[in-house]
Every structure is written in structure tokens, then in C-alpha cells.
Short mmCIF file of all heavy atoms in Angstrom, two decimals:
data_model
loop_
_atom_site.label_atom_id
_atom_site.label_comp_id
_atom_site.label_asym_id
_atom_site.label_seq_id
_atom_site.Cartn_x
_atom_site.Cartn_y
_atom_site.Cartn_z
N MET A 1369 14.61 22.09 15.16
CA MET A 1369 14.41 21.48 13.87
C MET A 1369 12.90 21.28 13.65
O MET A 1369 12.19 20.84 14.55
CB MET A 1369 15.13 20.13 13.83
CG MET A 1369 15.09 19.46 12.53
SD MET A 1369 16.67 18.67 12.21
CE MET A 1369 16.29 17.91 10.68
N PRO A 1370 12.39 21.57 12.46
CA PRO A 1370 10.95 21.41 12.22
C PRO A 1370 10.55 19.95 12.11
O PRO A 1370 11.38 19.07 11.92
CB PRO A 1370 10.74 22.14 10.89
CG PRO A 1370 12.05 22.14 10.24
CD PRO A 1370 13.09 22.16 11.32
N LYS A 1371 9.25 19.72 12.24
CA LYS A 1371 8.73 18.37 12.12
C LYS A 1371 8.85 17.89 10.67
O LYS A 1371 8.85 18.70 9.75
CB LYS A 1371 7.25 18.35 12.50
CG LYS A 1371 6.98 18.65 13.94
CD LYS A 1371 5.48 18.59 14.16
CE LYS A 1371 5.15 18.93 15.59
NZ LYS A 1371 3.69 18.91 15.81
N MET A 1372 8.94 16.57 10.51
CA MET A 1372 8.97 15.99 9.16
C MET A 1372 7.56 16.00 8.59
O MET A 1372 6.60 15.69 9.30
CB MET A 1372 9.48 14.55 9.21
CG MET A 1372 10.97 14.44 9.35
SD MET A 1372 11.49 12.73 9.36
CE MET A 1372 11.01 12.20 7.74
N LYS A 1373 7.42 16.36 7.34
CA LYS A 1373 6.10 16.34 6.71
C LYS A 1373 5.83 14.95 6.14
O LYS A 1373 6.73 14.29 5.62
CB LYS A 1373 6.04 17.37 5.58
CG LYS A 1373 5.83 18.78 6.06
CD LYS A 1373 5.42 19.65 4.90
CE LYS A 1373 5.02 21.02 5.41
NZ LYS A 1373 4.58 21.88 4.32
N THR A 1374 4.59 14.54 6.23
CA THR A 1374 4.15 13.28 5.64
C THR A 1374 3.88 13.50 4.17
O THR A 1374 3.31 14.51 3.78
CB THR A 1374 2.85 12.82 6.33
OG1 THR A 1374 3.10 12.69 7.72
CG2 THR A 1374 2.38 11.50 5.79
N LYS A 1375 4.31 12.56 3.34
CA LYS A 1375 3.99 12.62 1.92
C LYS A 1375 2.51 12.32 1.76
O LYS A 1375 2.02 11.29 2.21
CB LYS A 1375 4.80 11.58 1.14
CG LYS A 1375 6.29 11.74 1.27
CD LYS A 1375 6.81 12.75 0.29
CE LYS A 1375 8.32 12.78 0.28
NZ LYS A 1375 8.86 14.06 0.61
N SER A 1376 1.77 13.22 1.12
CA SER A 1376 0.31 13.08 1.07
C SER A 1376 -0.11 11.86 0.24
O SER A 1376 -1.15 11.27 0.50
CB SER A 1376 -0.33 14.34 0.52
OG SER A 1376 0.16 14.64 -0.76
N GLY A 1377 0.70 11.48 -0.75
CA GLY A 1377 0.38 10.28 -1.53
C GLY A 1377 0.50 9.02 -0.68
O GLY A 1377 -0.31 8.10 -0.81
N ALA A 1378 1.48 8.99 0.20
CA ALA A 1378 1.69 7.83 1.06
C ALA A 1378 0.61 7.74 2.13
O ALA A 1378 0.14 6.66 2.47
CB ALA A 1378 3.07 7.89 1.71
N LYS A 1379 0.18 8.89 2.64
CA LYS A 1379 -0.81 8.86 3.71
C LYS A 1379 -2.17 8.36 3.21
O LYS A 1379 -2.94 7.81 3.97
CB LYS A 1379 -0.87 10.22 4.37
CG LYS A 1379 -2.05 11.08 4.16
CD LYS A 1379 -1.89 12.37 4.95
CE LYS A 1379 -1.96 13.53 3.99
NZ LYS A 1379 -1.83 14.82 4.62
N LYS A 1380 -2.42 8.51 1.90
CA LYS A 1380 -3.66 8.00 1.31
C LYS A 1380 -3.58 6.50 1.02
O LYS A 1380 -4.61 5.85 0.91
CB LYS A 1380 -3.96 8.73 0.00
CG LYS A 1380 -4.23 10.20 0.15
CD LYS A 1380 -4.28 10.87 -1.19
CE LYS A 1380 -4.20 12.38 -1.04
NZ LYS A 1380 -4.04 13.06 -2.33
N ARG A 1381 -2.38 5.96 0.87
CA ARG A 1381 -2.23 4.59 0.40
C ARG A 1381 -1.92 3.57 1.48
O ARG A 1381 -2.12 2.37 1.27
CB ARG A 1381 -1.12 4.54 -0.65
CG ARG A 1381 -1.51 5.12 -1.98
CD ARG A 1381 -0.31 5.22 -2.91
NE ARG A 1381 -0.71 5.62 -4.24
CZ ARG A 1381 -0.91 6.86 -4.63
NH1 ARG A 1381 -0.74 7.86 -3.77
NH2 ARG A 1381 -1.26 7.15 -5.87
N PHE A 1382 -1.37 3.99 2.60
CA PHE A 1382 -0.92 3.04 3.62
C PHE A 1382 -1.61 3.32 4.95
O PHE A 1382 -1.89 4.46 5.29
CB PHE A 1382 0.59 3.15 3.81
CG PHE A 1382 1.38 2.90 2.56
CD1 PHE A 1382 1.99 3.94 1.90
CD2 PHE A 1382 1.51 1.62 2.05
CE1 PHE A 1382 2.71 3.72 0.73
CE2 PHE A 1382 2.23 1.39 0.89
CZ PHE A 1382 2.83 2.44 0.23
N THR A 1383 -1.86 2.24 5.70
CA THR A 1383 -2.39 2.36 7.05
C THR A 1383 -1.58 1.49 7.99
O THR A 1383 -0.99 0.48 7.55
CB THR A 1383 -3.87 1.92 7.13
OG1 THR A 1383 -3.99 0.61 6.59
CG2 THR A 1383 -4.77 2.87 6.37
N LEU A 1384 -1.53 1.87 9.24
CA LEU A 1384 -0.80 1.09 10.24
C LEU A 1384 -1.73 0.08 10.89
O LEU A 1384 -2.89 0.39 11.16
CB LEU A 1384 -0.24 2.02 11.32
CG LEU A 1384 1.04 2.76 10.99
CD1 LEU A 1384 1.34 3.78 12.06
CD2 LEU A 1384 2.19 1.81 10.83
N THR A 1385 -1.20 -1.10 11.16
CA THR A 1385 -1.97 -2.10 11.91
C THR A 1385 -1.69 -1.89 13.39
O THR A 1385 -0.84 -1.10 13.79
CB THR A 1385 -1.56 -3.52 11.50
OG1 THR A 1385 -0.19 -3.72 11.84
CG2 THR A 1385 -1.78 -3.75 10.03
N GLY A 1386 -2.40 -2.62 14.22
CA GLY A 1386 -2.22 -2.51 15.66
C GLY A 1386 -0.85 -2.96 16.12
O GLY A 1386 -0.34 -2.49 17.14
N THR A 1387 -0.23 -3.89 15.38
CA THR A 1387 1.08 -4.40 15.77
C THR A 1387 2.23 -3.57 15.17
O THR A 1387 3.39 -3.91 15.36
CB THR A 1387 1.25 -5.86 15.33
OG1 THR A 1387 1.02 -5.94 13.92
CG2 THR A 1387 0.27 -6.75 16.05
N GLY A 1388 1.90 -2.52 14.41
CA GLY A 1388 2.93 -1.65 13.86
C GLY A 1388 3.34 -1.96 12.44
O GLY A 1388 4.23 -1.32 11.90
N LYS A 1389 2.73 -2.97 11.84
CA LYS A 1389 3.02 -3.27 10.45
C LYS A 1389 2.28 -2.26 9.57
O LYS A 1389 1.36 -1.59 10.01
CB LYS A 1389 2.58 -4.68 10.09
CG LYS A 1389 3.37 -5.76 10.81
CD LYS A 1389 2.87 -7.12 10.43
CE LYS A 1389 3.63 -8.19 11.20
NZ LYS A 1389 3.08 -9.52 10.91
N ILE A 1390 2.68 -2.18 8.30
CA ILE A 1390 2.05 -1.24 7.37
C ILE A 1390 1.25 -2.04 6.35
O ILE A 1390 1.76 -2.97 5.73
CB ILE A 1390 3.11 -0.36 6.68
CG1 ILE A 1390 3.87 0.44 7.73
CG2 ILE A 1390 2.45 0.58 5.68
CD1 ILE A 1390 5.01 1.25 7.18
N LYS A 1391 -0.02 -1.66 6.20
CA LYS A 1391 -0.94 -2.35 5.32
C LYS A 1391 -1.05 -1.60 4.00
O LYS A 1391 -1.01 -0.38 3.98
CB LYS A 1391 -2.32 -2.37 5.99
CG LYS A 1391 -3.07 -3.63 5.84
CD LYS A 1391 -4.25 -3.76 6.79
CE LYS A 1391 -5.15 -2.57 6.85
NZ LYS A 1391 -6.44 -2.87 7.49
N ARG A 1392 -1.21 -2.34 2.89
CA ARG A 1392 -1.35 -1.72 1.58
C ARG A 1392 -2.36 -2.50 0.76
O ARG A 1392 -2.68 -3.65 1.08
CB ARG A 1392 -0.02 -1.70 0.84
CG ARG A 1392 0.46 -3.09 0.43
CD ARG A 1392 1.63 -3.05 -0.51
NE ARG A 1392 2.11 -4.38 -0.82
CZ ARG A 1392 1.66 -5.13 -1.80
NH1 ARG A 1392 0.68 -4.70 -2.58
NH2 ARG A 1392 2.15 -6.34 -2.03
N LYS A 1393 -2.86 -1.85 -0.30
CA LYS A 1393 -3.75 -2.53 -1.24
C LYS A 1393 -2.92 -3.13 -2.37
O LYS A 1393 -1.80 -2.69 -2.62
CB LYS A 1393 -4.74 -1.53 -1.83
CG LYS A 1393 -5.90 -1.19 -0.93
CD LYS A 1393 -6.81 -0.19 -1.57
CE LYS A 1393 -7.49 -0.75 -2.79
NZ LYS A 1393 -8.49 0.15 -3.40
N HIS A 1394 -3.49 -4.11 -3.04
CA HIS A 1394 -2.84 -4.68 -4.22
C HIS A 1394 -2.96 -3.73 -5.41
O HIS A 1394 -3.93 -2.98 -5.52
CB HIS A 1394 -3.48 -6.01 -4.59
CG HIS A 1394 -3.03 -7.15 -3.74
ND1 HIS A 1394 -1.81 -7.76 -3.89
CD2 HIS A 1394 -3.63 -7.78 -2.71
CE1 HIS A 1394 -1.69 -8.72 -3.00
NE2 HIS A 1394 -2.78 -8.75 -2.27
N ALA A 1395 -1.99 -3.78 -6.28
CA ALA A 1395 -2.03 -2.99 -7.51
C ALA A 1395 -2.85 -3.73 -8.57
O ALA A 1395 -3.25 -4.88 -8.37
CB ALA A 1395 -0.61 -2.75 -8.02
N TYR A 1396 -3.07 -3.08 -9.71
CA TYR A 1396 -3.74 -3.66 -10.88
C TYR A 1396 -5.22 -3.97 -10.65
O TYR A 1396 -5.75 -4.90 -11.23
CB TYR A 1396 -3.01 -4.93 -11.38
CG TYR A 1396 -1.54 -4.72 -11.58
CD1 TYR A 1396 -0.62 -5.35 -10.76
CD2 TYR A 1396 -1.08 -3.86 -12.57
CE1 TYR A 1396 0.73 -5.14 -10.94
CE2 TYR A 1396 0.27 -3.65 -12.76
CZ TYR A 1396 1.17 -4.30 -11.93
OH TYR A 1396 2.50 -4.10 -12.10
N LYS A 1397 -5.89 -3.19 -9.83
CA LYS A 1397 -7.31 -3.43 -9.58
C LYS A 1397 -8.14 -2.19 -9.89
O LYS A 1397 -9.29 -2.09 -9.51
CB LYS A 1397 -7.50 -3.84 -8.10
CG LYS A 1397 -8.92 -4.22 -7.69
CD LYS A 1397 -9.34 -5.54 -8.25
CE LYS A 1397 -10.82 -5.79 -8.20
NZ LYS A 1397 -11.47 -5.69 -6.97
N SER A 1398 -7.58 -1.21 -10.62
CA SER A 1398 -8.29 0.04 -10.80
C SER A 1398 -8.97 0.18 -12.16
O SER A 1398 -10.03 0.80 -12.25
CB SER A 1398 -7.36 1.22 -10.56
OG SER A 1398 -6.26 1.14 -11.43
N HIS A 1399 -8.40 -0.34 -13.21
CA HIS A 1399 -9.02 -0.20 -14.53
C HIS A 1399 -8.58 -1.35 -15.43
O HIS A 1399 -7.73 -2.15 -15.05
CB HIS A 1399 -8.67 1.16 -15.16
CG HIS A 1399 -7.22 1.37 -15.37
ND1 HIS A 1399 -6.58 1.09 -16.55
CD2 HIS A 1399 -6.25 1.82 -14.54
CE1 HIS A 1399 -5.29 1.37 -16.43
NE2 HIS A 1399 -5.07 1.81 -15.22
N ILE A 1400 -9.16 -1.42 -16.63
CA ILE A 1400 -8.95 -2.52 -17.58
C ILE A 1400 -9.23 -3.86 -16.88
O ILE A 1400 -8.40 -4.77 -16.87
CB ILE A 1400 -7.54 -2.49 -18.22
CG1 ILE A 1400 -7.16 -1.10 -18.67
CG2 ILE A 1400 -7.47 -3.44 -19.42
CD1 ILE A 1400 -5.74 -0.99 -19.19
N LEU A 1401 -10.43 -3.96 -16.30
CA LEU A 1401 -10.77 -5.16 -15.53
C LEU A 1401 -11.46 -6.22 -16.38
O LEU A 1401 -11.61 -7.36 -15.92
CB LEU A 1401 -11.68 -4.77 -14.36
CG LEU A 1401 -11.03 -3.81 -13.35
CD1 LEU A 1401 -12.05 -3.36 -12.33
CD2 LEU A 1401 -9.84 -4.43 -12.68
N THR A 1402 -11.85 -5.87 -17.61
CA THR A 1402 -12.60 -6.84 -18.41
C THR A 1402 -11.75 -8.02 -18.85
O THR A 1402 -12.25 -9.14 -18.94
CB THR A 1402 -13.19 -6.16 -19.65
OG1 THR A 1402 -12.16 -5.47 -20.34
CG2 THR A 1402 -14.29 -5.20 -19.27
N LYS A 1403 -10.48 -7.80 -19.08
CA LYS A 1403 -9.62 -8.90 -19.53
C LYS A 1403 -9.05 -9.73 -18.39
O LYS A 1403 -8.46 -10.77 -18.62
CB LYS A 1403 -8.49 -8.37 -20.41
CG LYS A 1403 -7.50 -7.48 -19.69
CD LYS A 1403 -6.32 -7.14 -20.57
CE LYS A 1403 -6.62 -6.01 -21.50
NZ LYS A 1403 -5.43 -5.46 -22.15
N LYS A 1404 -9.24 -9.29 -17.15
CA LYS A 1404 -8.74 -10.03 -16.00
C LYS A 1404 -9.80 -11.02 -15.53
O LYS A 1404 -10.99 -10.71 -15.52
CB LYS A 1404 -8.36 -9.07 -14.88
CG LYS A 1404 -7.20 -8.18 -15.26
CD LYS A 1404 -6.93 -7.09 -14.27
CE LYS A 1404 -5.86 -6.18 -14.83
NZ LYS A 1404 -5.96 -4.84 -14.32
N THR A 1405 -9.33 -12.20 -15.10
CA THR A 1405 -10.27 -13.21 -14.66
C THR A 1405 -10.90 -12.82 -13.33
O THR A 1405 -10.32 -12.05 -12.55
CB THR A 1405 -9.58 -14.57 -14.52
OG1 THR A 1405 -8.58 -14.46 -13.50
CG2 THR A 1405 -8.95 -15.01 -15.82
N THR A 1406 -12.04 -13.40 -13.05
CA THR A 1406 -12.74 -13.12 -11.79
C THR A 1406 -11.88 -13.56 -10.60
O THR A 1406 -11.83 -12.87 -9.59
CB THR A 1406 -14.08 -13.86 -11.76
OG1 THR A 1406 -14.78 -13.56 -12.96
CG2 THR A 1406 -14.91 -13.42 -10.59
N LYS A 1407 -11.22 -14.68 -10.74
CA LYS A 1407 -10.35 -15.18 -9.67
C LYS A 1407 -9.23 -14.20 -9.37
O LYS A 1407 -8.90 -13.95 -8.21
CB LYS A 1407 -9.79 -16.54 -10.10
CG LYS A 1407 -8.87 -17.18 -9.10
CD LYS A 1407 -8.36 -18.51 -9.62
CE LYS A 1407 -7.40 -19.15 -8.63
NZ LYS A 1407 -6.89 -20.43 -9.15
N ARG A 1408 -8.63 -13.66 -10.42
CA ARG A 1408 -7.53 -12.71 -10.26
C ARG A 1408 -8.01 -11.43 -9.60
O ARG A 1408 -7.37 -10.90 -8.69
CB ARG A 1408 -6.94 -12.42 -11.63
CG ARG A 1408 -5.76 -11.50 -11.65
CD ARG A 1408 -5.19 -11.48 -13.06
NE ARG A 1408 -4.32 -10.36 -13.28
CZ ARG A 1408 -3.93 -9.94 -14.46
NH1 ARG A 1408 -4.33 -10.57 -15.54
NH2 ARG A 1408 -3.13 -8.91 -14.59
N LYS A 1409 -9.16 -10.91 -10.04
CA LYS A 1409 -9.70 -9.68 -9.46
C LYS A 1409 -10.07 -9.88 -7.99
O LYS A 1409 -9.87 -9.01 -7.16
CB LYS A 1409 -10.92 -9.21 -10.25
CG LYS A 1409 -10.56 -8.66 -11.61
CD LYS A 1409 -11.75 -8.09 -12.31
CE LYS A 1409 -12.59 -9.16 -12.94
NZ LYS A 1409 -13.61 -8.64 -13.86
N ARG A 1410 -10.61 -11.04 -7.68
CA ARG A 1410 -10.99 -11.33 -6.30
C ARG A 1410 -9.76 -11.42 -5.40
O ARG A 1410 -9.78 -10.97 -4.25
CB ARG A 1410 -11.79 -12.64 -6.26
CG ARG A 1410 -12.63 -12.82 -5.03
CD ARG A 1410 -13.62 -13.94 -5.18
NE ARG A 1410 -13.02 -15.16 -5.70
CZ ARG A 1410 -13.37 -15.74 -6.86
NH1 ARG A 1410 -14.31 -15.21 -7.62
NH2 ARG A 1410 -12.80 -16.85 -7.24
N ALA A 1411 -8.68 -11.98 -5.92
CA ALA A 1411 -7.44 -12.08 -5.14
C ALA A 1411 -6.83 -10.71 -4.90
O ALA A 1411 -6.19 -10.49 -3.86
CB ALA A 1411 -6.46 -12.99 -5.86
N LEU A 1412 -7.00 -9.79 -5.83
CA LEU A 1412 -6.43 -8.45 -5.69
C LEU A 1412 -7.25 -7.56 -4.75
O LEU A 1412 -6.81 -6.47 -4.41
CB LEU A 1412 -6.34 -7.77 -7.06
CG LEU A 1412 -5.36 -8.38 -8.06
CD1 LEU A 1412 -5.52 -7.73 -9.41
CD2 LEU A 1412 -3.95 -8.26 -7.57
N THR A 1413 -8.44 -8.01 -4.36
CA THR A 1413 -9.30 -7.22 -3.50
C THR A 1413 -8.73 -7.07 -2.09
O THR A 1413 -8.87 -6.03 -1.46
CB THR A 1413 -10.70 -7.87 -3.42
OG1 THR A 1413 -11.23 -7.92 -4.74
CG2 THR A 1413 -11.63 -7.09 -2.54
N HIS A 1414 -8.10 -8.10 -1.60
CA HIS A 1414 -7.66 -8.14 -0.20
C HIS A 1414 -6.42 -7.29 0.04
O HIS A 1414 -5.63 -7.06 -0.87
CB HIS A 1414 -7.39 -9.58 0.21
CG HIS A 1414 -8.53 -10.49 -0.09
ND1 HIS A 1414 -9.76 -10.38 0.50
CD2 HIS A 1414 -8.65 -11.50 -0.98
CE1 HIS A 1414 -10.58 -11.30 0.03
NE2 HIS A 1414 -9.92 -12.00 -0.89
N HIS A 1415 -6.26 -6.85 1.29
CA HIS A 1415 -5.09 -6.07 1.68
C HIS A 1415 -3.95 -7.02 2.05
O HIS A 1415 -4.17 -8.18 2.35
CB HIS A 1415 -5.41 -5.19 2.88
CG HIS A 1415 -6.26 -4.02 2.53
ND1 HIS A 1415 -7.62 -4.12 2.35
CD2 HIS A 1415 -5.95 -2.73 2.31
CE1 HIS A 1415 -8.11 -2.93 2.05
NE2 HIS A 1415 -7.12 -2.07 2.01
N THR A 1416 -2.74 -6.49 2.05
CA THR A 1416 -1.57 -7.25 2.45
C THR A 1416 -0.61 -6.32 3.16
O THR A 1416 -0.85 -5.12 3.23
CB THR A 1416 -0.91 -7.92 1.23
OG1 THR A 1416 0.15 -8.76 1.68
CG2 THR A 1416 -0.37 -6.90 0.26
N THR A 1417 0.48 -6.86 3.69
CA THR A 1417 1.45 -6.02 4.37
C THR A 1417 2.58 -5.65 3.41
O THR A 1417 2.82 -6.35 2.43
CB THR A 1417 2.03 -6.75 5.60
OG1 THR A 1417 2.55 -8.00 5.19
CG2 THR A 1417 0.97 -6.95 6.66
N VAL A 1418 3.27 -4.59 3.74
CA VAL A 1418 4.36 -4.10 2.91
C VAL A 1418 5.56 -5.02 3.07
O VAL A 1418 5.83 -5.53 4.18
CB VAL A 1418 4.71 -2.65 3.33
CG1 VAL A 1418 5.99 -2.18 2.72
CG2 VAL A 1418 3.57 -1.73 2.96
N ALA A 1419 6.30 -5.26 2.00
CA ALA A 1419 7.49 -6.10 2.04
C ALA A 1419 8.58 -5.45 2.90
O ALA A 1419 8.64 -4.23 3.02
CB ALA A 1419 8.01 -6.33 0.62
N ASP A 1420 9.42 -6.28 3.48
CA ASP A 1420 10.48 -5.79 4.36
C ASP A 1420 11.46 -4.87 3.63
O ASP A 1420 11.99 -3.93 4.20
CB ASP A 1420 11.26 -6.96 4.96
CG ASP A 1420 10.41 -7.76 5.93
OD1 ASP A 1420 9.47 -7.17 6.51
OD2 ASP A 1420 10.69 -8.96 6.12
N SER A 1421 11.69 -5.14 2.34
CA SER A 1421 12.64 -4.33 1.58
C SER A 1421 12.13 -2.91 1.34
O SER A 1421 12.92 -1.99 1.15
CB SER A 1421 12.95 -5.00 0.25
OG SER A 1421 11.76 -5.23 -0.46
N ASP A 1422 10.81 -2.72 1.34
CA ASP A 1422 10.22 -1.40 1.12
C ASP A 1422 9.88 -0.67 2.40
O ASP A 1422 9.51 0.50 2.37
CB ASP A 1422 8.94 -1.53 0.29
CG ASP A 1422 9.19 -2.13 -1.07
OD1 ASP A 1422 10.26 -1.84 -1.64
OD2 ASP A 1422 8.33 -2.87 -1.55
N LEU A 1423 10.00 -1.33 3.51
CA LEU A 1423 9.52 -0.79 4.78
C LEU A 1423 10.16 0.53 5.17
O LEU A 1423 9.48 1.47 5.56
CB LEU A 1423 9.74 -1.83 5.88
CG LEU A 1423 8.80 -1.79 7.06
CD1 LEU A 1423 7.35 -1.85 6.61
CD2 LEU A 1423 9.10 -2.93 8.00
N ASN A 1424 11.49 0.63 5.04
CA ASN A 1424 12.18 1.85 5.46
C ASN A 1424 11.77 3.06 4.62
O ASN A 1424 11.55 4.15 5.16
CB ASN A 1424 13.70 1.66 5.40
CG ASN A 1424 14.20 0.75 6.50
OD1 ASN A 1424 13.56 0.63 7.54
ND2 ASN A 1424 15.32 0.10 6.28
N ASN A 1425 11.65 2.87 3.30
CA ASN A 1425 11.25 3.98 2.44
C ASN A 1425 9.85 4.46 2.76
O ASN A 1425 9.57 5.66 2.79
CB ASN A 1425 11.32 3.56 0.97
CG ASN A 1425 12.75 3.48 0.48
OD1 ASN A 1425 13.62 4.15 1.01
ND2 ASN A 1425 12.98 2.64 -0.51
N ILE A 1426 8.95 3.53 3.03
CA ILE A 1426 7.56 3.91 3.31
C ILE A 1426 7.46 4.57 4.67
O ILE A 1426 6.70 5.53 4.85
CB ILE A 1426 6.65 2.69 3.17
CG1 ILE A 1426 6.62 2.26 1.71
CG2 ILE A 1426 5.25 2.98 3.66
CD1 ILE A 1426 5.99 0.96 1.43
N ARG A 1427 8.24 4.09 5.63
CA ARG A 1427 8.24 4.75 6.95
C ARG A 1427 8.71 6.19 6.85
O ARG A 1427 8.17 7.06 7.51
CB ARG A 1427 9.14 3.98 7.92
CG ARG A 1427 8.51 2.73 8.45
CD ARG A 1427 9.37 2.11 9.54
NE ARG A 1427 8.78 0.91 10.07
CZ ARG A 1427 7.85 0.91 11.02
NH1 ARG A 1427 7.42 2.02 11.51
NH2 ARG A 1427 7.36 -0.24 11.44
N LEU A 1428 9.70 6.44 6.01
CA LEU A 1428 10.16 7.83 5.81
C LEU A 1428 9.08 8.67 5.16
O LEU A 1428 8.87 9.83 5.53
CB LEU A 1428 11.42 7.84 4.94
CG LEU A 1428 12.72 7.46 5.63
CD1 LEU A 1428 13.85 7.37 4.61
CD2 LEU A 1428 13.07 8.45 6.72
N CYS A 1429 8.36 8.11 4.19
CA CYS A 1429 7.29 8.84 3.53
C CYS A 1429 6.15 9.17 4.48
O CYS A 1429 5.46 10.17 4.34
CB CYS A 1429 6.74 8.06 2.35
SG CYS A 1429 7.88 7.94 0.98
N LEU A 1430 5.93 8.28 5.48
CA LEU A 1430 4.87 8.49 6.45
C LEU A 1430 5.31 9.36 7.63
O LEU A 1430 4.54 9.57 8.55
CB LEU A 1430 4.36 7.14 6.95
CG LEU A 1430 3.61 6.29 5.95
CD1 LEU A 1430 3.30 4.92 6.52
CD2 LEU A 1430 2.35 6.98 5.49
N GLY A 1431 6.55 9.81 7.61
CA GLY A 1431 7.04 10.68 8.67
C GLY A 1431 7.46 9.94 9.92
O GLY A 1431 7.58 10.53 10.99
N MET A 1432 7.68 8.63 9.80
CA MET A 1432 8.13 7.82 10.93
C MET A 1432 9.62 7.58 10.79
O MET A 1432 10.15 7.57 9.70
CB MET A 1432 7.39 6.47 10.94
CG MET A 1432 5.90 6.61 10.91
SD MET A 1432 5.06 5.10 10.39
CE MET A 1432 5.57 3.94 11.62
N LYS A 1433 10.30 7.38 11.88
CA LYS A 1433 11.74 7.09 11.80
C LYS A 1433 12.01 5.63 11.89
O LYS A 1433 11.25 4.82 12.18
CB LYS A 1433 12.46 7.81 12.93
CG LYS A 1433 12.70 9.26 12.58
CD LYS A 1433 14.13 9.50 12.35
CE LYS A 1433 14.35 10.87 11.82
NZ LYS A 1433 15.64 11.36 11.93
#
């Protein structure tokens, strides 16, 4: 059986932490920033971990079982 291919969109968006969790960036930080408050933009800067409900789908996209 051939190897599973990684989805290239997922490989650009997610990284693995040392403990095996998956790290992601916050959404809504790419454009139309003038109407967003500084506090809101600053909060969206930081990374966070993927929710448990999305974990299985993202693992499949990354080629992990």
C-alpha cells in the first residue's frame, strides 16, 4: 500500500509541539484590520492548540493516524 500524502494546505498551517499536540494560528488576522481594536488584534497574534473535536480530521490531513 502506498504512503498517505500530506495535504499541502494543512502542512502550511499546523505544527506539532514536543508533546504531540497540534499548534495553529488564530483566524481573522489577515486583512480588514482597521476596524478591529488593538486589543483584539493583539489577542489574535498568539498561537493556540487545536480543539479536540477537530484533532482527528487534522491528523488525517497531516498524514498521521
